[in-house]
Amino acid sequence: MISKGLRSFAVAAAWFAAAPALANQYNLQEPQSIIAREIYDLHTLIMWIIVGIFVVVFGAMTYAIVMHRKSAGHKAEQFHENTTVEIVWTIIPFFILIGMAWPATRTIISMKDTSGAEVTIKATGYQWKWGYDYLQEGISFYSNLSTPREQIEGKVPKGENYLIEVDNPVVVPAGKKVRIITTANDVIHSWWVPALGIKQDSIPGFVRDTWFKADKPGIYRGQCAELCGKDHGFMPIVVEVVTPERYASWVSEQKKKMAAAAPDSGEQWTLDELKARGEKIYAGNCVACHQPTGMGVPGAFPALSGSKIVTGPKDGQIKVVLNGVVKDGKPTAMVSFKHLSDVDIAAVITYTRNNWANKTGETVAPADVKAARK
Amino acid sequence: MEAAHAHNGHGHGAHGHHYSGLMRWITTTNHKDIGTLYLFFALTMFFVGGLLALMLRAELFEPGLQFWRPEFFNQLTTMHGLIMVFGAIMPAFVGFANWQVPMMIGAPDMAFARMNNWSFWLLPVGAILLVASFFVPGGATAAGWTIYAPLSTQMGPGMDLAIFALHIMGASSIMGSINIITTILNMRAPGMALMKMPLFVWTWLITAYLLIAVMPVLAGAVTMVLTDRHFGTNFFNAAGGGDPVLFQHVFWFFGHPEVYIMILPGFGIVSQIVPTFARKPLFGYSSMVYATASIAILSFIVWAHHMFTVGMPAVAQLFFMYATMLIAVPTGVKVFNWIATMWKGSLTFETPMLFACGFIFVFSMGGFTGLVLAITPVDIQLQDTYYVVAHFHYVLVAGSLFALFGGTYYWLPKWIGRMYDETLGKWHFWLSMIFFNITFFPMHFTGLAGLPRRVPDYNMQFADFNMISTIGAFGFGLAQLIFVYVLVKAIRGAGEKVSDKVWEGADGLEWTLPSPPPYHTFETPPLVK
Ligand SMILES: [Cu+2]
């Protein structure tokens, strides 16, 4: 621990030496959109004003501390007011403030102008992942943290993008105005990508919007910025900015994928196939609450291992997963998963019914789910 | 304890109290006893909240999850905040008000002596509820000290305990405030015009009005959460026609004045200390009073600057930005006045003065970052990041807490009649100052670079600064043990006896009393010229 401490001090010292190269370690991230750049410049401007005030005010204080001490033989004068001085130092700050407010006002007004967007994406906050819907293109997908648990638990070394990497990034074209509409499914989240200069709370039951226009292709990372429960720190946002051509091909690729994944309940699935698929769905949708062990979190999330609902008649669990659990007219943290396909729901239920202590040996077929939807 | 010495020494028992031992403290209606109780309570909660802070800093020492599950980590951040705000800082200032306000305005006691007892004894009840909430199923509330709905609607029974604790502590604050206002307005010694009151009294008068105005608002907000949780209302549930953002408006209508509640009495303490050690009257007394009042009034129209990212219309963002920036003007006036007070004085730097100067310095740093955060576009980038954590710890720890330490060293000799250990006091100051900055200064950087607050784990890019912060936090925590040692040593009578005036440059009614003051003081009001 001590050697680690020493190391970190050494590192800190090295930083100050290598200041310009590592500027992004202690300043805002390098801006990648007009708004981000305006914010960056505003911040720089204000910092310089502050440094100026700091030097004047604490210069005076330091002078007094050094020169007007009793031990230096200074005798106290007894003045205690001076109207002119007091008026002057009330008025001057006013003008400084106006100098700061002016550029800020301009930026606020342009931040708010979401008109004329070429791509509109709805970002929905879930506990604890993001869902994206490309409104014109009709593409929808979820975006989960892709950092393996072993890295978080320190069993394997951490990757470069530890905790700021996802399975499905948001893909957008460079140089085009992108409007992000935010909402949420459960509690308030906040969609934040520092390099693009946007942060917008996503509020259940309400929609808000914001926009960005990325200067150039690249991968920009952010995180949920509003405390949203236990895995708040584990629901990152990754925006992949690509050229408009690549964007167009990505869109058509996604559309094909969506068509292929459309519900297909006719097919027969074996128990093992469903279990294998279900394990993935579980890891992507359920594990945060019900835990990898299936034991849940006492007092908050029930165990599925040994649960009467999971091991009981199929319909019980299908209902829970499709509709969520509503208690006393209020939705609980167990929300509806009806946006998953029939196959996926069948798979995850089969998985829970045949894993941990649960050994029903039965499958739940996609057709069962389809039937329950009606 | 110190009052007990005083009492025995001066034989005033006859009209004081009839109990001894524990019952004396439970039944006391004496402002000095109650002030002592408040201060000991606050100190205890300061260590409880501090322990939680160290637990969460331990987790953040390096990337990865080492000690706590994320849900427990969130409980730690939440309870650290609630305990420090409602259990440590606020009661500590009320403790100072109890001891000092009557002695500074020449009153024999507080106006409502029995209510005073009751307002104190509610606090341990609230504190027990808060601490006990860790042990109920699901643990303490993990929704952040701001308990935003609908996250707080999801919490377990720990949330209900926290809500009741807030109700109780809020009631205590309201009673305390009524008492302070009544005392100040009705019980000043003849000749003590309002504009002659010491600045500490002025700041408390204004703070007490703020408390009366906003504590009921907080009570309303948490009650709505409670009924949403249990009684089928939908204030904050969008599915039932409610609005989650409403909670934030109500909360911050309380919350913003609350931050001034925690700093204005600190301004008052510093305004007493600086003239004493500059041996020169306070510069710009009346502008100090007006500045305090302006800050208090402005504090009611800036609340939504905590909510720039909820998506308000541009006009609302502009209004709240301009109003927030305006607060810089009276705050600046205060800092300029303190420095003008030091200017051409005859300065000495005993521990209280060190803390006062430290306060001016670090509080101003927090003020500067406050100005950065007032600028809406920049705030949108920095909201809910470590930059904000740095900002409010600069104003609250280095601000309020340093003022409280300064005030303790300043008045302790008066209260107990003996000097504290000056060398250790200076050590306490310097270690606190250095470790405070080691802890919180790097947070500006991590916040700017994009580290959200309230996360138990982070990318490696933030590892070094977090490690530095954790080392600083443990250093800061250990430095506070020196404070306890200094207090214990002084209270047990180790120091030299002090004169009535204690400090060469001291001025004010409390310094005309013996040190320690008798159990009952100013039974015949002094005449103020
Ligand atoms: Cu979130």
Side-chain angles (χ1 to χ4, degrees):
Chain A
M1 160 141 174
I2 289 172
S3 70
K4 265 184 187 152
L6 285 176
R7 199 186 67 205
S8 57
F9 282 118
V11 170
W15 265 330
F16 287 107
L22 288 156
N24 64 345
Q25 293 278 13
Y26 47 94
N27 200 347
L28 291 167
Q29 294 182 13
E30 201 189 324
Q32 302 289 349
S33 74
I34 310 160
I35 295 292
R37 200 164 320 108
E38 285 185 21
I39 293 176
Y40 190 96
D41 294 343
L42 263 177
H43 176 254
T44 310
L45 168 78
I46 296 160
M47 280 311 288
W48 283 118
I49 293 176
I50 286 173
V51 168
I53 302 174
F54 182 92
V55 169
V56 173
V57 173
F58 290 100
M61 182 164 155
T62 311
Y63 184 86
I65 288 177
V66 175
M67 304 303 289
H68 303 152
R69 21 185 347 126
K70 194 180 180 199
S71 56
H74 199 271
K75 293 262 168 339
E77 296 189 10
Q78 292 302 312
F79 65 86
H80 55 86
E81 58 195 2
N82 183 326
T83 316
T84 326
V85 172
E86 290 175 57
I87 289 175
V88 167
W89 70 36
T90 313
I91 302 285
I92 291 180
F94 260 115
F95 287 102
I96 298 179
L97 290 177
I98 292 171
M100 291 158 67
W102 175 246
T105 303
R106 282 203 336 248
T107 306
I108 291 178
I109 290 169
S110 48
M111 284 174 111
K112 279 283 166 192
D113 178 15
T114 53
S115 62
E118 292 173 77
V119 179
T120 303
I121 303 172
K122 184 169 111 198
T124 309
Y126 293 84
Q127 284 174 316
W128 292 276
K129 63 175 172 243
W130 290 95
Y132 297 104
D133 298 281
Y134 287 61
L135 298 187
Q136 288 108 343
E137 293 78 3
I139 301 170
S140 300
F141 56 86
Y142 290 95
S143 182
N144 283 290
L145 176 72
S146 62
T147 303
R149 279 204 96 74
E150 295 76 51
Q151 286 192 17
I152 298 175
E153 283 158 9
K155 292 183 189 135
V156 298
K158 300 180 181 16
E160 186 197 346
N161 294 317
Y162 178 69
L163 297 186
I164 45 175
E165 54 197 348
V166 297
D167 49 3
N168 303 311
V170 186
V171 178
V172 297
K176 297 259 158 77
K177 187 163 182 175
V178 179
R179 175 170 174 238
I180 300 285
I181 300 181
T182 65
T183 186
N185 191 48
D186 30 51
V187 299
I188 302 176
H189 303 261
S190 190
W191 203 81
W192 178 37
V193 183
L196 300 175
I198 62 177
K199 180 187 284 151
Q200 175 58 56
D201 289 0
S202 67
I203 301 163
F206 290 80
V207 288
R208 294 286 197 269
D209 66 350
T210 181
W211 69 277
F212 66 89
K213 190 192 269 182
D215 299 339
K216 54 172 196 282
I219 295 182
Y220 308 114
R221 299 168 193 279
Q223 284 178 266
C224 175
E226 182 62 63
L227 178 64
C228 57
K230 90 180 172 56
D231 283 350
H232 163 57
F234 305 90
M235 50 180 292
I237 294 145
V238 178
V239 177
E240 197 176 330
V241 179
V242 296
T243 58
E245 301 76 56
R246 278 211 45 205
Y247 176 70
S249 63
W250 179 83
V251 167
S252 57
E253 207 178 289
Q254 291 300 309
K255 281 185 174 160
K256 269 191 223 128
K257 257 201 209 160
M258 301 264 305
D264 169 21
S265 306
E267 203 184 323
Q268 290 302 313
W269 292 74
T270 66
L271 176 69
D272 286 339
E273 282 169 351
L274 282 172
K275 259 189 83 173
R277 189 184 179 107
E279 185 167 4
K280 290 205 194 88
I281 308 289
Y282 187 84
N285 294 282
C286 324
V287 76
C289 300
H290 295 293
Q291 303 298 309
T293 54
M295 295 311 293
V297 174
F301 309 117
L304 298 187
S305 181
S307 148
K308 284 207 189 72
I309 294 192
V310 175
T311 54
K314 299 176 193 176
D315 286 352
Q317 192 181 357
I318 296 179
K319 260 217 210 108
V320 167
V321 179
L322 264 184
N323 306 330
V325 179
V326 178
K327 267 196 183 153
D328 313 328
K330 291 263 158 56
T332 64
M334 181 64 208
V335 295
S336 156
F337 283 87
K338 65 168 179 276
H339 51 265
L340 297 179
S341 72
D342 294 347
V343 178
D344 288 346
I345 293 181
V348 75
I349 294 179
T350 306
Y351 171 75
T352 57
R353 284 165 68 82
N354 295 286
N355 198 29
W356 315 298
N358 304 344
K359 307 233 159 19
T360 60
E362 289 173 356
T363 55
V364 170
D368 299 335
V369 180
K370 194 174 183 184
R373 277 195 202 263
K374 305 216 169 100
Chain B
M1 272 154 262
E2 50 271 41
H5 289 293
H7 157 59
N8 296 337
H10 295 79
H12 272 277
H15 36 197
H17 46 81
H18 313 283
Y19 298 100
S20 58
L22 187 62
M23 277 315 278
R24 159 179 170 198
W25 293 99
I26 291 178
T27 57
T28 183
T29 55
N30 179 285
H31 75 101
K32 300 185 184 75
D33 281 359
I34 293 176
T36 306
L37 285 171
Y38 265 108
L39 292 173
F40 274 110
F41 172 80
L43 188 66
T44 313
M45 295 313 280
F46 173 62
F47 278 93
V48 175
L51 182 70
L52 300 181
L54 293 186
M55 286 165 76
L56 71 90
R57 276 312 325 169
E59 178 60 58
L60 294 170
F61 183 66
E62 53 184 15
L65 294 179
Q66 284 83 30
F67 297 102
W68 322 116
R69 289 170 290 118
E71 49 274 40
F72 184 66
F73 180 89
N74 290 346
Q75 295 177 25
L76 290 176
T77 55
T78 304
M79 297 306 282
H80 164 69
L82 287 175
I83 287 178
M84 285 302 199
V85 167
F86 293 99
I89 301 283
M90 290 172 69
F93 279 126
V94 183
F96 274 95
N98 262 289
W99 258 102
Q100 288 305 125
V101 166
M103 295 206 300
M104 291 172 108
I105 62 172
D109 204 311
M110 296 293 278
F112 305 114
R114 283 202 186 83
M115 185 166 84
N116 203 13
N117 170 292
W118 182 224
S119 15
F120 172 75
W121 282 107
L122 282 178
L123 283 182
V125 180
I128 288 168
L129 284 179
L130 278 182
V131 174
S133 72
F134 273 109
F135 303 99
V136 300
T141 166
W145 85 276
T146 49
I147 52 172
Y148 276 11
L151 185 60
S152 48
T153 334
Q154 274 186 0
M155 294 290 139
M159 185 74 237
D160 301 316
L161 294 185
I163 289 174
F164 292 135
L166 288 178
H167 278 145
I168 291 172
M169 292 175 144
S172 153
S173 286
I174 292 171
M175 289 195 284
S177 304
I178 293 174
N179 216 340
I180 288 168
I181 293 174
T182 316
T183 309
I184 296 175
L185 292 186
N186 293 305
M187 296 174 64
R188 296 192 310 279
M192 172 75 75
L194 282 175
M195 287 309 271
K196 276 190 184 169
M197 294 194 313
L199 220 78
F200 176 73
V201 180
W202 255 116
T203 53
W204 242 117
L205 179 64
I206 292 168
T207 304
Y209 274 108
L210 284 182
L211 275 167
I212 291 188
V214 301
M215 289 316 282
V217 178
L218 174 68
V222 297
T223 307
M224 285 192 272
V225 171
L226 189 74
T227 60
D228 265 15
R229 288 167 55 79
H230 298 296
F231 306 114
T233 57
N234 289 307
F235 292 110
F236 311 126
N237 174 16
D243 181 354
V245 178
L246 172 67
F247 178 84
Q248 299 183 23
H249 282 295
V250 182
F251 180 86
W252 286 114
F253 189 81
F254 145 80
H256 199 81
E258 168 70 14
V259 307
Y260 292 102
I261 288 167
M262 291 190 283
I263 197 69
L264 293 182
F267 288 170
I269 292 177
V270 170
S271 305
Q272 302 299 134
I273 295 176
V274 172
T276 302
F277 296 93
R279 293 165 180 76
K280 192 167 155 277
L282 183 68
F283 186 87
Y285 171 89
S286 37
S287 72
M288 282 299 225
V289 173
Y290 300 139
T292 311
S294 332
I295 293 175
I297 291 165
L298 284 173
S299 77
F300 284 107
I301 55 163
V302 297
W303 76 89
H305 69 209
H306 298 269
M307 304 165 53
F308 281 145
T309 60
V310 298
M312 285 180 283
V315 271
Q317 294 196 335
L318 290 174
F319 172 81
F320 285 108
M321 175 174 81
Y322 299 148
T324 305
M325 293 174 81
L326 268 186
I327 293 197
V329 175
T331 313
V333 166
K334 297 220 139 213
V335 173
F336 302 148
N337 279 338
W338 288 321
I339 292 174
T341 308
M342 292 166 71
W343 194 255
K344 302 214 161 145
S346 177
L347 298 167
T348 53
F349 295 93
E350 290 85 345
T351 310
M353 184 61 165
L354 286 178
F355 272 107
C357 292
F359 169 95
I360 297 173
F361 178 69
V362 269
F363 172 78
S364 302
M365 303 269 281
F368 286 142
T369 53
L371 200 52
V372 173
L373 290 168
I375 308 297
T376 309
V378 181
D379 177 80
I380 287 181
Q381 193 67 287
L382 296 175
Q383 194 254 3
D384 263 323
T385 67
Y386 264 86
Y387 193 90
V388 174
V389 177
H391 160 71
F392 68 75
H393 282 90
Y394 266 84
V395 288
L396 268 180
V397 178
S400 310
L401 187 66
F402 278 16
L404 286 163
F405 286 147
T408 309
Y409 287 108
Y410 183 52
W411 281 307
L412 186 74
K414 162 64 45 187
W415 297 340
I416 63 177
R418 290 183 180 271
M419 204 56 188
Y420 59 85
D421 186 329
E422 188 63 55
T423 317
L424 282 178
K426 287 192 166 130
W427 271 100
H428 175 218
F429 168 75
W430 284 109
L431 291 177
S432 296
M433 185 72 174
I434 291 167
F435 281 116
F436 169 80
N437 281 289
I438 293 178
T439 312
F440 292 102
F441 202 73
M443 292 185 186
H444 294 112
F445 300 140
T446 51
L448 283 167
L451 178 61
R453 65 192 278 211
R454 297 165 162 171
V455 292
D457 197 1
Y458 46 82
N459 184 267
M460 258 74 65
Q461 134 191 38
F462 306 111
D464 298 296
F465 280 139
N466 267 291
M467 193 175 277
I468 295 172
S469 285
T470 298
I471 294 168
F474 277 84
F476 188 84
L478 290 178
Q480 303 323 310
L481 297 179
I482 302 177
F483 180 56
V484 175
Y485 180 73
V486 173
L487 283 183
V488 170
K489 196 171 154 189
I491 290 171
R492 297 183 74 193
E496 262 169 64
K497 278 197 180 317
V498 291
S499 67
D500 292 357
K501 206 170 163 200
V502 183
W503 310 107
E504 185 191 7
D507 183 31
L509 284 179
E510 77 267 39
W511 308 109
T512 63
L513 294 167
S515 302
Y519 198 59
H520 294 284
T521 43
F522 293 131
E523 282 162 302
T524 38
L527 197 64
V528 181
K529 320 143 267 18

